């Protein structure tokens, strides 16, 4: 079926079967590969994108359900919050292999957008679904706190 | 692994021709420079516009060589970290061999920095001397008057960017023995403010992993593999797959190890695969369950060992223990573990115009797939090219002695008319069920203590599924039948243990096994360090003091191990845990590095354990990139702790029971509090950091839990009496 998607501020017409995960439309059709495939079952968060500003797992979002929503991927981030998060990530050299980090950043931007000064417990609970096999967790925690500071400045 | 990392006299530079200066070593090992890379293996390339590029021979899976090897060039050449780029080396073992592996190009055994430290510095230093020579000639000055710093040549009243002298330098012979900086002159090596080179692309989504490759007209292939080791595909029914959008066709692989399913895109391939049924011949397939494997391993440590590893007299050791004042005895079991790197395995193969093929891969061990592809495609080595891309983690999984997934891709490509590139994709289910695990292992240890609380005898038996026997690594790491990877960390431990006997029994594998971050040390450190704690408690002595006594009066090995132990104890507040907290400590040497860790927990095994804090001390020689080292310790600790907390792979009649993260639950952000890393200042040659953080983490946790609870001797902990908060 033909589906119209609003992604990173642009409208795209795509051909996809109903039930196709949004992840594969983004990666294979639109060739935006910053959004990663890690598990396909909503258990790792590598595929996290925003639907109308809310972090969702694109591997478990049907493409037809994203029609009409504003979809944002890592490539389309441009808010004040996302700038603070990405700057903090670079400042603290959070990444190792980096494969989970698009998803971590999309979740962190989601967290700080709704809660600009999260506690450690709030960070841990919000970020719980984003796995990092390289275990960069304590830098993720520190970078979210740093981004929170930067947002105040 | 015991690897020789100190070959001298290897370096030679190649001088660049007209517009580009390359510096590296010739195949015979001499430093060489030139204007084209053809006859040498360049480690540094300087273009006419002054762009400096480090050619990194180790792949980047997050452990930092893209930053580390680039730092070595920048330091000796005299450019800032901002003004140097890097690219990954092509596959060519005659030029980019890992000096620790002989004639093989590859990354592993935490050797990247150790085997590159002199090589890359010499290349950078040779380039500096050639540029200075060129400037001296142009300015009519003496080379001694000139300096090259931050990319600027200066002296004799003149100043110019290095770009101006690239063409002249490219015509020169490389100096045979360029002067390397004295450590006191280092500006970048050891500088904690040097940043990772790969942070930005990995933060904005532009970093390209093999999974991200979309070549024009490519097909995606997924494989239906035998659910049990040794099963053979004899046919399949794809009637239902024909309905699926994008499905192209399926074919039994030539080795019958599975069925390749081809589709236009990834989702089409996954769906088509689910719709295909395969006929399997299981007559020679593995049918044991993990319970049986466990029984076999435990039985093996209770009989006489097959191999006497240390040559000590077992009967004499047993007699000493029997006659000791106290005996401490434990049996341990370690399950199979999957690596589960975040990026599932993938690679792409395409045909080149000259009849050759190119592999695009986050390639850890280029020489293996290179040789395998030359055989499969019946092509000379020079017609096989490997494009190394970022890898989304590995933990050992991307380096198999069989080049397993690259061979799958090659077979799947060979079954086509080769007009379209084939991208092989593994799902997470493929990854968790697809074989290659940390082997299951059992240990049994009896320790005798004399009346003064000193060790009188130590009888240690290990039963394991050997990793290296029957592989290309056998000649290097299997001696007199003993697979070193089964016993490393017990045999050859720096502890001076009187009357230590170590025995090993091999048990046939029921699935393919592989090195897993820190290899044998994953289990040997656990057993050594928990048994030392048990012995210390039985002797009524402090665990740190007890260990230090076993290191006293030794050589450099013992002193360095004692050094990190004391530092971790001091920084971790050993012995003064806050109310409600318990501490455990462990120290271990692996891959040439010494690491001690104090794990501090709250709660207990019954009510829920929470890991509040980990304090780590590491001595890895000269700390080239201190922040990368810290990151590797943090990651190594998390990797070790997450798996002992709750991971195991089990088999039922040969089939893996787990399938994805929900039943192979990764460490999560809330599982560990702070990790603090302290680096011991050192002038020794750099040693490994990718793996050594892992071994002490699990026993330190076990020792902390044992303060107010049981010693966990069978893993994972959550299935053996420990609940986690
Ligand atoms: S790929 Fe979507 S959560 Fe893992
Ligand atoms: S950085 Fe490697 S998985 Fe997170």
């Amino acid at each position: 079926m033909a589906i119209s998607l609003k992604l990173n501020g642009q409208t795209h017409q795509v051909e996809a079967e109903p039930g196709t995960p949004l992840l594969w439309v983004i990666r294979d059709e639109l060739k935006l590969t910053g959004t990663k495939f890690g598990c396909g079952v909503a258990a790792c968060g590598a595929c996290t994108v925003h639907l109308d500003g809310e972090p969702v797992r694109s591997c478990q979002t049907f493409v037809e359900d994203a029609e009409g929503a504003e979809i944002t991927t890592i490539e389309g981030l441009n808010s004040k919050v996302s700038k603070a998060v990405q700057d903090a990530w670079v400042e603290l050299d959070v990444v190792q292999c980096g494969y989970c980090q698009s998803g971590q950043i999309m979740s962190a931007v989601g967290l700080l957008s709704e809660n600009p000064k999260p506690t450690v417990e709030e960070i841990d609970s919000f970020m719980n679904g984003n796995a990092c096999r390289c275990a960069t967790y304590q830098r993720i925690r520190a970078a979210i706190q740093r981004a929170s500071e930067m947002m105040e400045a | 692994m015991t690897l020789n990392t100190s070959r001298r006299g290897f370096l030679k530079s190649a001088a660049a021709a007209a517009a580009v200066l390359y510096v590296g070593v010739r195949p015979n090992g001499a430093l060489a420079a030139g204007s084209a890379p053809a006859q040498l293996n360049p480690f540094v390339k300087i273009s006419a516009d002054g762009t400096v590029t480090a050619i990194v021979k180790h792949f980047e899976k997050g452990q930092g060589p893209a930053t580390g090897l680039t730092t070595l060039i920048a330091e000796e050449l005299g450019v800032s970290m901002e003004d140097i780029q890097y690219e990954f080396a092509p596959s060519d073992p005659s030029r980019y061999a890992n000096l620790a592996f002989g004639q093989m190009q590859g990354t592993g055994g935490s050797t990247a920095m150790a085997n590159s430290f002199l090589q890359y510095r010499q290349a950078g230093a040779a380039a500096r001397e050639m540029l200075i020579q060129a400037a001296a000639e142009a300015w009519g000055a003496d080379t001694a008057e000139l300096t090259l710093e931050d990319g600027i040549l200066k002296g004799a009243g003149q100043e110019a960017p290095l770009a101006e002298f690239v063409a002249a330098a490219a015509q020169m012979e490389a100096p045979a023995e360029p002067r390397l900086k004295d450590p006191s002159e280092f500006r970048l090596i050891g500088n904690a403010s040097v940043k990772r080179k790969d942070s930005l692309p990995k933060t904005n989504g532009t970093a390209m992993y093999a999974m991200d490759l979309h070549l024009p007209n490519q097909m995606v292939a997924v494989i239906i593999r035998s659910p049990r080791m040794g099963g053979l595909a004899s046919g399949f029914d794809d009637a239902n797959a024909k309905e699926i959008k994008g499905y192209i066709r399926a074919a039994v692989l030539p080795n019958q190890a599975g069925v390749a399913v081809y589709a236009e895109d990834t989702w089409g391939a996954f769906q088509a695969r689910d719709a295909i049924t395969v006929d399997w011949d299981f007559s020679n397939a593995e049918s044991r369950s993990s319970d049986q494997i466990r029984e076999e391993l435990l039985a093996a440590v209770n009989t006489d060992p097959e191999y006497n590893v240390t040559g000590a007299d077992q009967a004499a050791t047993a007699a000493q223990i029997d006659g000791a004042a106290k005996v401490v005895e434990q049996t341990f079991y370690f399950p199979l573990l999957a690596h589960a790197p975040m990026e599932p395995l993938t690679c792409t193969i395409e045909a080149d115009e000259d009849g050759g093929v190119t592999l695009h891969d986050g390639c850890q061990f280029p020489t293996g797939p290179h040789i395998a592809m030359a055989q499969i495609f019946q092509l000379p080595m020079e017609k096989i090219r490997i494009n190394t891309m970022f890898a989304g983690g590995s933990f050992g999984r991307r380096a198999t002695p069989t080049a397993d997934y690259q061979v799958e891709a090659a077979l799947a490509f060979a079954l086509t008319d080769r007009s379209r590139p084939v991208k092989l994709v593994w799902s997470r289910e493929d990854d968790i069920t697809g074989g290659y695990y940390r082997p299951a292992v059992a240990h049994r240890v009896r320790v005798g203590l004399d009346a003064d609380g000193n060790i009188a005898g130590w009888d240690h038996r290990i039963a394991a599924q050997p990793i290296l026997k029957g592989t290309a690594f056998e000649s290097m790491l299997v001696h007199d039948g003993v697979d070193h990877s089964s016993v490393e960390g017990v045999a050859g431990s720096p502890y001076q243990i009187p009357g230590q006997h170590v025995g090993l029994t091999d048990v046939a594998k029921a699935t393919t096994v592989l090195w897993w971050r820190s290899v044998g040390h994953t289990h040997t450190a656990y057993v050594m360090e928990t048994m030392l704690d048990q012995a210390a408690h039985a002797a009524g002595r402090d665990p740190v003091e007890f260990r230090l006594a076993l290191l006293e009066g030794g050589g450099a090995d013992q002193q360095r191990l004692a050094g990190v132990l004391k530092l971790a104890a001091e920084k971790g507040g050993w012995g003064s845990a806050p109310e409600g907290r318990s501490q455990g400590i462990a120290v271990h040497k692996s891959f040439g590095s010494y690491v001690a860790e104090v794990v501090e927990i709250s709660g207990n095994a019954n009510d829920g354990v929470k890991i509040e804090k980990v304090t780590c001390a590491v001595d890895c020689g000269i700390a080239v990139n201190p922040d990368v080292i810290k990151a590797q310790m943090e990651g190594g600790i998390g990797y070790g702790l997450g798996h002992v907390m709750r991971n195991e792979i089990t088999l039922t009649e040969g089939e893996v029971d787990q399938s994805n993260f929900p039943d192979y639950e990764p460490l999560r952000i809330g599982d560990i509090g702070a990790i603090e890393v302290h680096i011991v200042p050192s002038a020794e040659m750099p040693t490994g950091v990718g793996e050594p953080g892992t071994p002490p983490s699990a026993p330190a946790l076990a020792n902390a839990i044992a303060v107010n609870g049981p010693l966990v001797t069978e893993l994972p902990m959550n299935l053996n009496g420990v609940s986690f908060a």
Side-chain angles (χ1 to χ4, degrees), chain B residues 61-78:
Chain B
K61 59 187 175 213
Q63 84 285 29
T67 306
L69 305 198
T70 303
T71 303
L72 302 178
I73 297 281
E75 176 73 78
E76 294 290 350
L77 176 58

Side-chain angles (χ1 to χ4, degrees), chain A residues 94-101 104 131-136, chain B residues 61 342 392-393 395:
Chain A
V94 172
V95 308
Q96 289 188 28
C97 86
Y99 194 80
C100 73
Q101 300 292 348
Q104 305 282 1
C132 175
R133 295 293 293 161
C134 300
T136 61
Chain B
K61 59 187 175 213
M342 200 69 199
F395 315 116

Side-chain angles (χ1 to χ4, degrees), chain B residues 91-243:
Chain B
S91 170
D92 184 348
S94 72
R95 300 175 185 184
Y96 294 109
N98 184 326
L99 302 186
F101 295 169
Q103 276 313 303
M104 293 195 25
Q105 182 177 347
T107 304
S110 296
T111 57
M113 182 54 75
N115 96 97
S116 308
F117 188 63
L118 287 178
Q119 225 180 22
Y120 277 69
R121 286 175 62 203
Q122 282 170 330
R128 183 190 67 227
E129 289 191 2
M130 293 161 73
L131 289 162
I132 286 182
Q133 178 71 39
E137 283 171 20
W139 294 340
D142 193 295
T143 53
E145 300 173 72
L146 307 186
T147 59
L148 171 48
E149 261 176 35
D150 292 331
I152 306 291
L153 285 140
K154 244 187 233 174
Q158 307 258 26
E159 178 171 335
L162 63 81
E164 291 190 13
F165 305 100
V166 173
Q171 303 299 330
M172 293 177 184
E173 283 293 309
E177 294 265 341
R179 190 189 84 88
L180 297 182
K181 283 187 178 175
D182 182 81
S184 64
E185 300 168 76
F186 288 159
R187 303 173 66 190
L188 301 173
I189 292 175
N191 185 336
S193 62
V194 166
K195 309 288 292 171
R196 284 187 79 101
K197 291 296 281 180
D198 53 352
S199 264
L200 192 60
K202 289 177 175 179
T203 301
N204 62 20
T206 57
M208 284 289 286
Y209 300 81
M211 189 65 92
D212 300 332
L213 195 66
H214 283 102
L215 293 177
N217 202 29
Q218 77 179 18
M219 294 191 276
V220 171
V222 298
I223 309 287
I224 309 174
R225 294 175 192 84
S226 171
R228 287 151 55 181
M229 186 173 75
L232 296 175
S234 51
F236 61 88
D237 175 358
D238 69 343
N240 293 333
K242 293 187 170 135
E243 309 296 310

Side-chain angles (χ1 to χ4, degrees), chain A residues 110-126:
Chain A
L111 165 63
L112 290 173
S113 299
E114 67 171 53
N115 179 2
K117 285 176 87 65
T119 63
V120 168
E121 290 70 31
E122 286 168 338
I123 293 172
D124 284 1
S125 115
F126 196 94

Side-chain angles (χ1 to χ4, degrees), chain A residues 23 36-48 57-60 129, chain B residues 661:
Chain A
L23 169 68
K36 303 301 188 197
F37 164 57
C39 69
V41 298
C44 77
C47 65
T48 306
R57 311 293 184 224
S58 64
C59 69
Q60 288 293 310
Chain B
F661 287 141

